[in-house]
Amino acid sequence: RMPYRDSRMYRIKTVVIDTGNGGYEYGITTKDYKEKNVVLDIAKRLRALITRDSTECFLTRKSDRFMSLGERAKFTDDKNAEIFLSLHVGKHNKIVLYTPVITESAPSEVKTFLANKGQEDFLAKTAALRNALQQAITEDFGDEMVLIRPLPYSILSKIGAAALIIELPSFEDAYYVAEFKTQIANTIYKGIYLYEENAAN
């Protein structure tokens, strides 16, 4: 059952879902799956849930095209996103939430696109989003299914929003059929809802 969102509470206005890879960057591939296609499918399912309310949701790419890290970061900045979630498939049997680490030197291909200070002012919100997503994943998949890892020198450190990379289980450890992709989208949406609910209190 999807959570009910009370219209009186704090409402997130804009979410950006970053769909990993694209174009000539296939990501992880198997006989049955290409990472770039799977994450785009999940992102579209998630967007459909988010936009049922008055929240806007933008995908960094809506089709199979290449985007640089800098373009993805600038896109997020331009949309004034409150939440940034980057979707990927990993090589393990868990869902990994990567959180940004503030470093002096951001990747040069990201730095040139950005005027703001990135994560510096958003670490508390990012931590709250991580906790909310961890809770949602634990409730839906079990606490052994989620890992939290810091990630320095990534696109995250230059995003001016609550920002996480979500790495989904490997193609060997999960069947990415429609039902599973919908379940993943529902769980991430639930995490956004919990974050929103906590921010309202």
Side-chain angles (χ1 to χ4, degrees):
R1 193 176 65 82
M2 293 310 298
Y4 166 70
R5 298 172 87 199
D6 188 333
S7 60
R8 294 166 300 178
M9 75 182 192
Y10 163 73
R11 183 62 57 85
I12 291 162
K13 293 181 181 64
T14 310
V15 176
V16 166
I17 307 297
D18 176 41
T19 42
N21 306 296
Y24 62 82
E25 282 195 347
Y26 284 68
I28 296 171
T29 59
T30 65
K31 183 167 63 74
D32 299 314
Y33 304 115
K34 292 185 180 74
E35 180 183 354
K36 64 176 184 175
N37 296 338
V38 168
V39 294
L40 181 58
D41 188 351
I42 293 169
K44 287 178 176 177
R45 292 167 194 260
L46 178 56
R47 183 181 181 277
L49 294 171
I50 292 169
T51 55
R52 289 189 312 189
D53 307 292
S54 58
T55 301
E56 283 193 289
C57 181
F58 299 98
L59 307 185
T60 51
R61 65 176 180 89
K62 290 183 280 194
S63 60
D64 184 15
R65 71 186 189 90
F66 173 78
M67 282 184 83
S68 70
L69 291 181
E71 287 171 321
R72 293 169 192 267
K74 183 178 185 301
F75 178 91
T76 306
D77 252 18
D78 289 346
K79 299 298 182 191
N80 293 317
E82 292 173 70
I83 287 177
F84 170 89
L85 295 172
S86 186
L87 300 183
H88 295 266
V89 175
K91 294 183 175 179
H92 34 66
N93 62 359
K94 301 186 188 302
I95 299 172
V96 183
L97 302 178
Y98 287 100
T99 59
V101 175
I102 296 294
T103 55
E104 288 306 308
S105 51
S108 57
E109 68 267 33
V110 174
K111 186 182 283 184
T112 53
F113 284 86
L114 294 176
N116 73 1
K117 292 192 295 181
Q119 267 304 288
E120 218 169 307
D121 298 330
F122 292 91
L123 286 176
K125 288 183 176 179
T126 290
L129 180 62
R130 176 201 65 212
N131 293 343
L133 274 161
Q134 184 177 12
Q135 181 184 336
I137 295 164
T138 298
E139 288 176 2
D140 291 358
F141 292 95
D143 58 3
E144 73 288 346
M145 263 297 285
V146 61
L147 283 177
I148 309 293
R149 288 187 176 158
L151 188 66
Y153 304 108
S154 76
I155 188 175
L156 290 178
S157 59
K158 279 297 177 182
I159 297 289
L164 298 170
I165 291 174
I166 301 174
E167 206 170 67
L168 301 169
S170 76
F171 293 136
E172 285 74 37
D173 292 295
Y175 293 108
Y176 280 82
V177 293
E179 185 182 0
F180 182 67
K181 289 185 284 191
T182 296
Q183 187 180 10
I184 289 287
N186 284 347
T187 299
I188 296 171
Y189 174 73
K190 182 183 187 179
I192 293 170
Y193 168 83
L194 290 168
Y195 170 78
E196 195 174 53
E197 196 174 45
N198 292 337
N201 297 332

